[in-house]
Amino acid sequence: MALPQPAPERSPLEELVEETLGAIRARGTHRRMRVLEGAQAPRMRVGGREVLLFAGSNYLDLAHHPEVVEASARAAREWGCAAGGSRLISGNLALHEALEHELAEFLGTEAALAFTTGYAANVGVIPALVGEGDVVVSDALSHASVVDGCRLSKAGLRVFPHADLDALEDTLREISAIARRVLVVVDGVYSMDGDTAPLAELVPLAKRWDAIVLIDDAHGTGTLGATGRGTAELAGVEAGVDIWMGTLGKSLGSFGAFVAGSERLRELLVNVARSFIFSCALAPPQVAAARTALRVMRAEPWRRERLQANAARLRSRLAGYGISTAPSTTQIVPVVIGENARTMAICERLLARGFYAQGIRHPSVAAETARLRLTPMATHRTEEIDALADALAAEVAAPA
Ligand SMILES: Cc1ncc(COP(=O)(O)O)c(C=O)c1O
């Protein structure tokens, strides 16, 4: 007769996984990845179903642009698929330097430096600028990579309520006597709300208190401003911005990021930004794609104009149904539902109707403010925008 076996003991790893995932499930914020097929484009296959994509950040539809694809393929043939090292060892290709010159020329800065992602840029640049004895001042809704960069820096961290300029001024006044240096860092476009930082007032205010100003314009680069230079161009305060961070993986249809500013800033980052120093350089196909996308974006302002027109139409169609998209003024259009389960149920029902608009929950947004985050593209047709608004309105009105 077989003896009863003792219950197998759970390993410490299994225990911690179970504990953590159990808590996440109990909060209703468990996530899973959807599988998409095909190039990032207005129409894609998601989970095997043909849908209209309203969930990406390939805003200008450049990721699959024939010239971008061809440049990337040519770079793979001529330069290979890897840079083969970090920039300071063997990975600094002429292609990287060319991209950086073109980005600097576009932004009107002296120099730029490429990073492998926006996340890496923020966790590299912030600790390169401030440390113990300094204070970094940031908006309450700053991106997670800004928050992590602030934490890594070991500088004092002061967070002001979202877009509250009076609170920012109070903070700057208070810390001016004690901080060696002050860095003010804000997102240009808030990625879950689609509003822009009040840069027209914020930049001069930070300058009055002698702070260094860093703008994370991950979503503004290429999409906002008369020539696509982003939120500071839109607000007319480019001259006051010391440092720009932008990404290559959103409107620029490739992968990676950059920090732009003075030549001396670039030299500093090359010497001290750990995520730059201790990481492999961007691969040639990514660099070539970004260079070509930058050229196409500059040559084709209609993409930016159509993107913003599509976003404005979506906001106004939803408003017609009594659905608020506040505080969005950009191509990121949130519809706050509130409750996690209901948000995800609407997301699934929209998918079944042929629209992919991702539900976003805590911790990406504050608890109880779960939302559908709609991101139209420049190349969505007007009737597709309208169809999304109609379908969403029907689902929001449906009983939970
Ligand atoms: C405001 C902001 N900053 C930084 C990042 C990070 O950029 P990346 O995706 O290139 O790491 C994002 C990306 O989602 C973002 O929204």
PDB file of all heavy atoms in Angstrom, residues 363-394:
ATOM      1  N   PRO A 363      -0.945  50.016 -10.910  1.00  0.00           N
ATOM      2  CA  PRO A 363      -0.302  51.246 -10.458  1.00  0.00           C
ATOM      3  C   PRO A 363       0.036  52.232 -11.579  1.00  0.00           C
ATOM      4  O   PRO A 363       0.675  53.246 -11.305  1.00  0.00           O
ATOM      5  CB  PRO A 363       0.989  50.735  -9.803  1.00  0.00           C
ATOM      6  CG  PRO A 363       1.345  49.531 -10.609  1.00  0.00           C
ATOM      7  CD  PRO A 363       0.041  48.921 -11.049  1.00  0.00           C
ATOM      8  N   SER A 364      -0.373  51.944 -12.823  1.00  0.00           N
ATOM      9  CA  SER A 364      -0.066  52.908 -13.885  1.00  0.00           C
ATOM     10  C   SER A 364      -0.854  54.199 -13.670  1.00  0.00           C
ATOM     11  O   SER A 364      -0.421  55.279 -14.095  1.00  0.00           O
ATOM     12  CB  SER A 364      -0.408  52.331 -15.251  1.00  0.00           C
ATOM     13  OG  SER A 364       0.336  51.156 -15.474  1.00  0.00           O
ATOM     14  N   VAL A 365      -2.039  54.092 -13.046  1.00  0.00           N
ATOM     15  CA  VAL A 365      -2.819  55.284 -12.692  1.00  0.00           C
ATOM     16  C   VAL A 365      -3.290  55.109 -11.254  1.00  0.00           C
ATOM     17  O   VAL A 365      -3.221  54.005 -10.705  1.00  0.00           O
ATOM     18  CB  VAL A 365      -4.043  55.475 -13.625  1.00  0.00           C
ATOM     19  CG1 VAL A 365      -3.594  55.765 -15.054  1.00  0.00           C
ATOM     20  CG2 VAL A 365      -4.958  54.254 -13.604  1.00  0.00           C
ATOM     21  N   ALA A 366      -3.778  56.180 -10.653  1.00  0.00           N
ATOM     22  CA  ALA A 366      -4.219  56.106  -9.255  1.00  0.00           C
ATOM     23  C   ALA A 366      -5.362  55.104  -9.124  1.00  0.00           C
ATOM     24  O   ALA A 366      -6.166  54.934 -10.061  1.00  0.00           O
ATOM     25  CB  ALA A 366      -4.678  57.490  -8.793  1.00  0.00           C
ATOM     26  N   ALA A 367      -5.436  54.438  -7.961  1.00  0.00           N
ATOM     27  CA  ALA A 367      -6.523  53.495  -7.698  1.00  0.00           C
ATOM     28  C   ALA A 367      -7.856  54.213  -7.901  1.00  0.00           C
ATOM     29  O   ALA A 367      -7.972  55.426  -7.671  1.00  0.00           O
ATOM     30  CB  ALA A 367      -6.398  52.978  -6.270  1.00  0.00           C
ATOM     31  N   GLU A 368      -8.843  53.481  -8.362  1.00  0.00           N
ATOM     32  CA  GLU A 368     -10.212  54.002  -8.604  1.00  0.00           C
ATOM     33  C   GLU A 368     -10.294  54.952  -9.795  1.00  0.00           C
ATOM     34  O   GLU A 368     -11.306  55.611  -9.996  1.00  0.00           O
ATOM     35  CB  GLU A 368     -10.818  54.723  -7.371  1.00  0.00           C
ATOM     36  CG  GLU A 368     -10.737  53.973  -6.047  1.00  0.00           C
ATOM     37  CD  GLU A 368     -11.328  52.576  -6.126  1.00  0.00           C
ATOM     38  OE1 GLU A 368     -12.343  52.415  -6.835  1.00  0.00           O
ATOM     39  OE2 GLU A 368     -10.755  51.646  -5.527  1.00  0.00           O
ATOM     40  N   THR A 369      -9.207  55.061 -10.553  1.00  0.00           N
ATOM     41  CA  THR A 369      -9.292  55.903 -11.762  1.00  0.00           C
ATOM     42  C   THR A 369      -8.928  55.070 -13.003  1.00  0.00           C
ATOM     43  O   THR A 369      -8.355  55.594 -13.953  1.00  0.00           O
ATOM     44  CB  THR A 369      -8.381  57.153 -11.701  1.00  0.00           C
ATOM     45  OG1 THR A 369      -7.007  56.709 -11.784  1.00  0.00           O
ATOM     46  CG2 THR A 369      -8.590  57.963 -10.456  1.00  0.00           C
ATOM     47  N   ALA A 370      -9.261  53.777 -12.946  1.00  0.00           N
ATOM     48  CA  ALA A 370      -8.988  52.927 -14.109  1.00  0.00           C
ATOM     49  C   ALA A 370      -9.654  53.547 -15.335  1.00  0.00           C
ATOM     50  O   ALA A 370     -10.709  54.184 -15.225  1.00  0.00           O
ATOM     51  CB  ALA A 370      -9.509  51.518 -13.858  1.00  0.00           C
ATOM     52  N   ARG A 371      -9.003  53.354 -16.465  1.00  0.00           N
ATOM     53  CA  ARG A 371      -9.486  54.068 -17.654  1.00  0.00           C
ATOM     54  C   ARG A 371      -9.189  53.302 -18.936  1.00  0.00           C
ATOM     55  O   ARG A 371      -8.336  52.417 -18.953  1.00  0.00           O
ATOM     56  CB  ARG A 371      -8.790  55.427 -17.744  1.00  0.00           C
ATOM     57  CG  ARG A 371      -7.306  55.296 -17.985  1.00  0.00           C
ATOM     58  CD  ARG A 371      -6.553  56.540 -17.607  1.00  0.00           C
ATOM     59  NE  ARG A 371      -6.696  56.853 -16.192  1.00  0.00           N
ATOM     60  CZ  ARG A 371      -6.283  57.978 -15.625  1.00  0.00           C
ATOM     61  NH1 ARG A 371      -5.697  58.906 -16.345  1.00  0.00           N
ATOM     62  NH2 ARG A 371      -6.440  58.185 -14.335  1.00  0.00           N
ATOM     63  N   LEU A 372      -9.893  53.711 -19.978  1.00  0.00           N
ATOM     64  CA  LEU A 372      -9.496  53.278 -21.313  1.00  0.00           C
ATOM     65  C   LEU A 372      -8.618  54.388 -21.864  1.00  0.00           C
ATOM     66  O   LEU A 372      -8.974  55.570 -21.773  1.00  0.00           O
ATOM     67  CB  LEU A 372     -10.720  53.068 -22.189  1.00  0.00           C
ATOM     68  CG  LEU A 372     -11.524  51.863 -21.704  1.00  0.00           C
ATOM     69  CD1 LEU A 372     -12.975  52.017 -22.071  1.00  0.00           C
ATOM     70  CD2 LEU A 372     -10.949  50.571 -22.244  1.00  0.00           C
ATOM     71  N   ARG A 373      -7.474  53.992 -22.355  1.00  0.00           N
ATOM     72  CA  ARG A 373      -6.545  54.994 -22.885  1.00  0.00           C
ATOM     73  C   ARG A 373      -6.545  54.848 -24.399  1.00  0.00           C
ATOM     74  O   ARG A 373      -6.066  53.849 -24.923  1.00  0.00           O
ATOM     75  CB  ARG A 373      -5.154  54.756 -22.311  1.00  0.00           C
ATOM     76  CG  ARG A 373      -4.067  55.660 -22.821  1.00  0.00           C
ATOM     77  CD  ARG A 373      -2.773  55.317 -22.106  1.00  0.00           C
ATOM     78  NE  ARG A 373      -1.649  56.113 -22.525  1.00  0.00           N
ATOM     79  CZ  ARG A 373      -0.834  55.779 -23.532  1.00  0.00           C
ATOM     80  NH1 ARG A 373      -1.046  54.682 -24.226  1.00  0.00           N
ATOM     81  NH2 ARG A 373       0.195  56.554 -23.821  1.00  0.00           N
ATOM     82  N   LEU A 374      -7.129  55.834 -25.050  1.00  0.00           N
ATOM     83  CA  LEU A 374      -7.291  55.770 -26.505  1.00  0.00           C
ATOM     84  C   LEU A 374      -6.181  56.574 -27.166  1.00  0.00           C
ATOM     85  O   LEU A 374      -5.959  57.734 -26.802  1.00  0.00           O
ATOM     86  CB  LEU A 374      -8.643  56.373 -26.912  1.00  0.00           C
ATOM     87  CG  LEU A 374      -9.856  55.969 -26.059  1.00  0.00           C
ATOM     88  CD1 LEU A 374     -11.074  56.786 -26.472  1.00  0.00           C
ATOM     89  CD2 LEU A 374     -10.141  54.486 -26.217  1.00  0.00           C
ATOM     90  N   THR A 375      -5.499  55.961 -28.106  1.00  0.00           N
ATOM     91  CA  THR A 375      -4.455  56.701 -28.813  1.00  0.00           C
ATOM     92  C   THR A 375      -4.657  56.554 -30.324  1.00  0.00           C
ATOM     93  O   THR A 375      -4.217  55.575 -30.921  1.00  0.00           O
ATOM     94  CB  THR A 375      -3.045  56.189 -28.424  1.00  0.00           C
ATOM     95  OG1 THR A 375      -3.028  54.766 -28.531  1.00  0.00           O
ATOM     96  CG2 THR A 375      -2.667  56.602 -27.020  1.00  0.00           C
ATOM     97  N   PRO A 376      -5.340  57.533 -30.916  1.00  0.00           N
ATOM     98  CA  PRO A 376      -5.497  57.498 -32.370  1.00  0.00           C
ATOM     99  C   PRO A 376      -4.153  57.694 -33.065  1.00  0.00           C
ATOM    100  O   PRO A 376      -3.186  58.129 -32.448  1.00  0.00           O
ATOM    101  CB  PRO A 376      -6.432  58.673 -32.656  1.00  0.00           C
ATOM    102  CG  PRO A 376      -6.350  59.555 -31.465  1.00  0.00           C
ATOM    103  CD  PRO A 376      -5.965  58.691 -30.306  1.00  0.00           C
ATOM    104  N   MET A 377      -4.118  57.358 -34.316  1.00  0.00           N
ATOM    105  CA  MET A 377      -2.911  57.572 -35.122  1.00  0.00           C
ATOM    106  C   MET A 377      -3.227  58.562 -36.235  1.00  0.00           C
ATOM    107  O   MET A 377      -4.387  58.811 -36.560  1.00  0.00           O
ATOM    108  CB  MET A 377      -2.456  56.234 -35.738  1.00  0.00           C
ATOM    109  CG  MET A 377      -1.950  55.253 -34.718  1.00  0.00           C
ATOM    110  SD  MET A 377      -1.709  53.599 -35.431  1.00  0.00           S
ATOM    111  CE  MET A 377      -0.335  53.898 -36.519  1.00  0.00           C
ATOM    112  N   ALA A 378      -2.145  59.074 -36.845  1.00  0.00           N
ATOM    113  CA  ALA A 378      -2.302  60.045 -37.931  1.00  0.00           C
ATOM    114  C   ALA A 378      -3.079  59.451 -39.098  1.00  0.00           C
ATOM    115  O   ALA A 378      -3.755  60.167 -39.842  1.00  0.00           O
ATOM    116  CB  ALA A 378      -0.925  60.491 -38.412  1.00  0.00           C
ATOM    117  N   THR A 379      -2.986  58.142 -39.276  1.00  0.00           N
ATOM    118  CA  THR A 379      -3.538  57.510 -40.475  1.00  0.00           C
ATOM    119  C   THR A 379      -4.867  56.805 -40.233  1.00  0.00           C
ATOM    120  O   THR A 379      -5.345  56.103 -41.131  1.00  0.00           O
ATOM    121  CB  THR A 379      -2.497  56.519 -41.037  1.00  0.00           C
ATOM    122  OG1 THR A 379      -1.973  55.768 -39.937  1.00  0.00           O
ATOM    123  CG2 THR A 379      -1.362  57.246 -41.730  1.00  0.00           C
ATOM    124  N   HIS A 380      -5.449  56.965 -39.051  1.00  0.00           N
ATOM    125  CA  HIS A 380      -6.822  56.475 -38.900  1.00  0.00           C
ATOM    126  C   HIS A 380      -7.733  57.344 -39.757  1.00  0.00           C
ATOM    127  O   HIS A 380      -7.561  58.569 -39.819  1.00  0.00           O
ATOM    128  CB  HIS A 380      -7.281  56.582 -37.434  1.00  0.00           C
ATOM    129  CG  HIS A 380      -6.845  55.421 -36.589  1.00  0.00           C
ATOM    130  ND1 HIS A 380      -6.087  55.571 -35.451  1.00  0.00           N
ATOM    131  CD2 HIS A 380      -7.074  54.097 -36.709  1.00  0.00           C
ATOM    132  CE1 HIS A 380      -5.865  54.378 -34.913  1.00  0.00           C
ATOM    133  NE2 HIS A 380      -6.443  53.471 -35.650  1.00  0.00           N
ATOM    134  N   ARG A 381      -8.703  56.698 -40.386  1.00  0.00           N
ATOM    135  CA  ARG A 381      -9.656  57.464 -41.192  1.00  0.00           C
ATOM    136  C   ARG A 381     -10.734  58.044 -40.272  1.00  0.00           C
ATOM    137  O   ARG A 381     -11.014  57.496 -39.198  1.00  0.00           O
ATOM    138  CB  ARG A 381     -10.291  56.563 -42.245  1.00  0.00           C
ATOM    139  CG  ARG A 381      -9.277  56.054 -43.275  1.00  0.00           C
ATOM    140  CD  ARG A 381      -9.982  55.477 -44.488  1.00  0.00           C
ATOM    141  NE  ARG A 381     -10.745  54.299 -44.148  1.00  0.00           N
ATOM    142  CZ  ARG A 381     -10.298  53.055 -44.304  1.00  0.00           C
ATOM    143  NH1 ARG A 381      -9.093  52.830 -44.797  1.00  0.00           N
ATOM    144  NH2 ARG A 381     -11.050  52.029 -43.981  1.00  0.00           N
ATOM    145  N   THR A 382     -11.328  59.151 -40.723  1.00  0.00           N
ATOM    146  CA  THR A 382     -12.339  59.823 -39.908  1.00  0.00           C
ATOM    147  C   THR A 382     -13.438  58.853 -39.479  1.00  0.00           C
ATOM    148  O   THR A 382     -13.870  58.840 -38.326  1.00  0.00           O
ATOM    149  CB  THR A 382     -12.961  60.996 -40.700  1.00  0.00           C
ATOM    150  OG1 THR A 382     -11.894  61.819 -41.131  1.00  0.00           O
ATOM    151  CG2 THR A 382     -13.909  61.811 -39.865  1.00  0.00           C
ATOM    152  N   GLU A 383     -13.876  58.012 -40.434  1.00  0.00           N
ATOM    153  CA  GLU A 383     -14.985  57.098 -40.082  1.00  0.00           C
ATOM    154  C   GLU A 383     -14.539  56.068 -39.044  1.00  0.00           C
ATOM    155  O   GLU A 383     -15.356  55.542 -38.288  1.00  0.00           O
ATOM    156  CB  GLU A 383     -15.608  56.445 -41.323  1.00  0.00           C
ATOM    157  CG  GLU A 383     -14.696  55.685 -42.232  1.00  0.00           C
ATOM    158  CD  GLU A 383     -13.985  56.565 -43.281  1.00  0.00           C
ATOM    159  OE1 GLU A 383     -13.854  57.795 -43.090  1.00  0.00           O
ATOM    160  OE2 GLU A 383     -13.531  55.985 -44.293  1.00  0.00           O
ATOM    161  N   GLU A 384     -13.246  55.790 -38.980  1.00  0.00           N
ATOM    162  CA  GLU A 384     -12.755  54.846 -37.968  1.00  0.00           C
ATOM    163  C   GLU A 384     -12.767  55.496 -36.579  1.00  0.00           C
ATOM    164  O   GLU A 384     -13.078  54.857 -35.572  1.00  0.00           O
ATOM    165  CB  GLU A 384     -11.343  54.364 -38.333  1.00  0.00           C
ATOM    166  CG  GLU A 384     -11.344  53.528 -39.604  1.00  0.00           C
ATOM    167  CD  GLU A 384      -9.953  53.217 -40.138  1.00  0.00           C
ATOM    168  OE1 GLU A 384      -8.989  53.968 -39.831  1.00  0.00           O
ATOM    169  OE2 GLU A 384      -9.825  52.241 -40.886  1.00  0.00           O
ATOM    170  N   ILE A 385     -12.424  56.771 -36.555  1.00  0.00           N
ATOM    171  CA  ILE A 385     -12.471  57.513 -35.289  1.00  0.00           C
ATOM    172  C   ILE A 385     -13.923  57.553 -34.790  1.00  0.00           C
ATOM    173  O   ILE A 385     -14.207  57.294 -33.619  1.00  0.00           O
ATOM    174  CB  ILE A 385     -11.954  58.972 -35.494  1.00  0.00           C
ATOM    175  CG1 ILE A 385     -10.500  58.971 -35.979  1.00  0.00           C
ATOM    176  CG2 ILE A 385     -12.163  59.830 -34.259  1.00  0.00           C
ATOM    177  CD1 ILE A 385      -9.477  58.627 -34.958  1.00  0.00           C
ATOM    178  N   ASP A 386     -14.817  57.859 -35.717  1.00  0.00           N
ATOM    179  CA  ASP A 386     -16.240  57.950 -35.346  1.00  0.00           C
ATOM    180  C   ASP A 386     -16.766  56.595 -34.882  1.00  0.00           C
ATOM    181  O   ASP A 386     -17.523  56.511 -33.918  1.00  0.00           O
ATOM    182  CB  ASP A 386     -17.076  58.452 -36.534  1.00  0.00           C
ATOM    183  CG  ASP A 386     -16.739  59.892 -36.882  1.00  0.00           C
ATOM    184  OD1 ASP A 386     -15.964  60.520 -36.127  1.00  0.00           O
ATOM    185  OD2 ASP A 386     -17.252  60.397 -37.899  1.00  0.00           O
ATOM    186  N   ALA A 387     -16.334  55.545 -35.565  1.00  0.00           N
ATOM    187  CA  ALA A 387     -16.808  54.204 -35.189  1.00  0.00           C
ATOM    188  C   ALA A 387     -16.343  53.845 -33.780  1.00  0.00           C
ATOM    189  O   ALA A 387     -17.093  53.249 -33.000  1.00  0.00           O
ATOM    190  CB  ALA A 387     -16.311  53.169 -36.205  1.00  0.00           C
ATOM    191  N   LEU A 388     -15.126  54.236 -33.443  1.00  0.00           N
ATOM    192  CA  LEU A 388     -14.630  53.960 -32.082  1.00  0.00           C
ATOM    193  C   LEU A 388     -15.478  54.719 -31.060  1.00  0.00           C
ATOM    194  O   LEU A 388     -15.905  54.153 -30.046  1.00  0.00           O
ATOM    195  CB  LEU A 388     -13.155  54.388 -31.943  1.00  0.00           C
ATOM    196  CG  LEU A 388     -12.636  54.387 -30.504  1.00  0.00           C
ATOM    197  CD1 LEU A 388     -12.577  52.971 -29.934  1.00  0.00           C
ATOM    198  CD2 LEU A 388     -11.256  55.043 -30.407  1.00  0.00           C
ATOM    199  N   ALA A 389     -15.738  56.003 -31.338  1.00  0.00           N
ATOM    200  CA  ALA A 389     -16.531  56.803 -30.398  1.00  0.00           C
ATOM    201  C   ALA A 389     -17.921  56.190 -30.219  1.00  0.00           C
ATOM    202  O   ALA A 389     -18.416  56.062 -29.083  1.00  0.00           O
ATOM    203  CB  ALA A 389     -16.634  58.248 -30.890  1.00  0.00           C
ATOM    204  N   ASP A 390     -18.532  55.758 -31.333  1.00  0.00           N
ATOM    205  CA  ASP A 390     -19.875  55.161 -31.247  1.00  0.00           C
ATOM    206  C   ASP A 390     -19.845  53.882 -30.408  1.00  0.00           C
ATOM    207  O   ASP A 390     -20.695  53.664 -29.542  1.00  0.00           O
ATOM    208  CB  ASP A 390     -20.409  54.819 -32.650  1.00  0.00           C
ATOM    209  CG  ASP A 390     -20.612  56.067 -33.509  1.00  0.00           C
ATOM    210  OD1 ASP A 390     -20.598  57.181 -32.949  1.00  0.00           O
ATOM    211  OD2 ASP A 390     -20.754  55.929 -34.747  1.00  0.00           O
ATOM    212  N   ALA A 391     -18.859  53.032 -30.683  1.00  0.00           N
ATOM    213  CA  ALA A 391     -18.786  51.744 -29.979  1.00  0.00           C
ATOM    214  C   ALA A 391     -18.508  51.975 -28.490  1.00  0.00           C
ATOM    215  O   ALA A 391     -19.122  51.337 -27.628  1.00  0.00           O
ATOM    216  CB  ALA A 391     -17.686  50.879 -30.584  1.00  0.00           C
ATOM    217  N   LEU A 392     -17.621  52.888 -28.196  1.00  0.00           N
ATOM    218  CA  LEU A 392     -17.279  53.149 -26.794  1.00  0.00           C
ATOM    219  C   LEU A 392     -18.487  53.711 -26.042  1.00  0.00           C
ATOM    220  O   LEU A 392     -18.787  53.290 -24.923  1.00  0.00           O
ATOM    221  CB  LEU A 392     -16.089  54.110 -26.726  1.00  0.00           C
ATOM    222  CG  LEU A 392     -15.582  54.457 -25.333  1.00  0.00           C
ATOM    223  CD1 LEU A 392     -15.231  53.213 -24.544  1.00  0.00           C
ATOM    224  CD2 LEU A 392     -14.340  55.331 -25.432  1.00  0.00           C
ATOM    225  N   ALA A 393     -19.190  54.637 -26.711  1.00  0.00           N
ATOM    226  CA  ALA A 393     -20.372  55.222 -26.056  1.00  0.00           C
ATOM    227  C   ALA A 393     -21.394  54.124 -25.762  1.00  0.00           C
ATOM    228  O   ALA A 393     -21.988  54.099 -24.680  1.00  0.00           O
ATOM    229  CB  ALA A 393     -20.970  56.299 -26.951  1.00  0.00           C
ATOM    230  N   ALA A 394     -21.575  53.192 -26.719  1.00  0.00           N
ATOM    231  CA  ALA A 394     -22.549  52.115 -26.492  1.00  0.00           C
ATOM    232  C   ALA A 394     -22.108  51.256 -25.322  1.00  0.00           C
ATOM    233  O   ALA A 394     -22.935  50.866 -24.476  1.00  0.00           O
ATOM    234  CB  ALA A 394     -22.669  51.265 -27.765  1.00  0.00           C
TER     235      ALA A 394
END
